[in-house]
Amino acid sequence: GNSVTQMEGPVTLSEEAFLTINCTYTATGYPSLFWYVQYPGEGLQLLLKATKADDKGSNKGFEATYRKETTSFHLEKGSVQVSDSAVYFCVMNYGGSQGNLIFGKGTKLSVKP
Amino acid sequence: EAGVTQFPSHSVIEKGQTVTLRCDPISGHDNLYWYRRVMGKEIKFLLHFVKESKQDESGMPNNRFLAERTGGTYSTLKVQPAELEDSGVYFCASSQGRSQGRSYNSPLHFGNGTRLTVT
């Protein structure tokens, strides 16, 4: 069935370190892929998205490329900041209702000064 | 603009009791979604309203859960009777609809969630 698998956390990094959070998906068709972020005490926010193969989503220094050949959508940032501390969710929409999303379990990131 | 708001932020009830969660979407958003995350599991889709109509309720776990959106504004999610496995965080999200001149893929705006604990 359709599913999303992302790197288990928590992840702890020092400020300015390089971040990668791995995400792979299983889908019968060609889903849209998203990364959502939840900052402490806030609701989920869309961080970036990609709707077709080879698309690159980017926002706030974060990037993720939709790789159909490896069914992956890894999240990267070259230099993290303390303010990036949050829970990151890899999410897939495989069709049907726009909001019928499949979430990964989430990866908690803590960035230390 | 005000964001998606959910009430209450926390609720602790005993098994067998009834709880009603409320979601106020962003004003004018036709689409409203409910999700939940039970302990240690992924966030799961529950259902989708377009205005007052249920567009997709494929994620509703069983008939103890009843969602309504009378008048197409705020929505309620009632759990009756609550069971221990219903404990978790319930999220609501809204987005603009097709009739509002936006694409179908307008972004979802999430509320902060309601943490439900059934003891």
Side-chain angles (χ1 to χ4, degrees):
Chain A
N2 299 309
S3 65
V4 173
T5 303
Q6 70 179 96
M7 192 171 129
E8 296 271 340
V11 174
T12 302
L13 296 174
S14 298
E15 208 164 22
E16 299 183 3
F18 184 85
L19 168 72
T20 300
I21 301 178
N22 290 337
C23 172
T24 57
Y25 67 90
T26 302
T28 52
Y30 299 97
S32 294
L33 300 171
F34 309 85
W35 278 97
Y36 277 81
V37 59
Q38 186 176 23
Y39 298 104
E42 298 184 16
L44 289 153
Q45 302 172 26
L46 177 64
L47 179 61
L48 53 85
K49 68 177 182 180
T51 57
K52 61 184 188 296
D54 300 325
D55 268 2
K56 177 187 281 188
S58 60
N59 186 25
K60 298 182 181 181
F62 291 88
E63 291 184 339
T65 301
Y66 188 159
R67 303 279 188 203
K68 191 175 76 168
E69 62 277 11
T70 54
T71 62
S72 64
F73 193 55
H74 305 320
L75 182 68
E76 297 183 335
K77 185 172 185 181
S79 176
V80 294
Q81 305 301 312
V82 172
S83 57
D84 293 326
S85 298
V87 181
Y88 293 82
F89 294 89
C90 186
V91 182
M92 176 171 78
N93 174 253
Y94 61 92
S97 166
Q98 174 207 7
N100 196 335
L101 304 174
I102 296 177
F103 286 79
K105 287 190 174 182
T107 302
K108 183 175 181 180
L109 170 67
S110 296
V111 181
K112 306 297 184 186
Chain B
E1 71 184 355
V4 176
T5 52
Q6 294 188 241
F7 303 96
S9 55
H10 294 85
S11 180
V12 181
I13 61 171
E14 293 183 353
K15 176 182 171 181
Q17 290 185 321
T18 297
V19 63
T20 300
L21 313 181
R22 172 171 168 146
C23 169
D24 284 71
I26 291 173
S27 178
H29 279 191
D30 285 348
N31 295 298
L32 187 149
Y33 309 87
W34 283 98
Y35 303 84
R36 75 169 180 176
R37 183 179 194 182
V38 296
M39 187 67 71
K41 300 283 185 67
E42 298 85 350
I43 299 171
K44 297 279 194 184
F45 167 82
L46 295 179
L47 87 159
H48 169 207
F49 284 100
V50 177
K51 298 184 181 178
E52 67 275 9
S53 300
K54 290 176 185 174
Q55 183 78 12
D56 180 353
E57 51 184 329
S58 60
M60 293 289 266
N62 53 60
N63 59 10
R64 296 186 293 103
F65 290 76
L66 174 63
E68 294 181 322
R69 194 184 181 195
T70 306
T73 54
Y74 72 90
S75 175
T76 57
L77 179 65
K78 181 189 288 188
V79 185
Q80 178 182 32
E83 299 289 345
L84 298 178
E85 65 264 24
D86 300 331
S87 296
V89 181
Y90 290 76
F91 295 98
C92 175
S94 71
S95 70
Q96 291 185 316
R98 297 184 192 207
S99 62
Q100 294 159 301
R102 297 281 181 158
S103 73
Y104 188 54
N105 289 319
S106 56
L108 272 63
H109 299 261
F110 281 81
N112 289 3
T114 294
R115 181 174 295 278
L116 174 64
T117 302
V118 183
T119 62

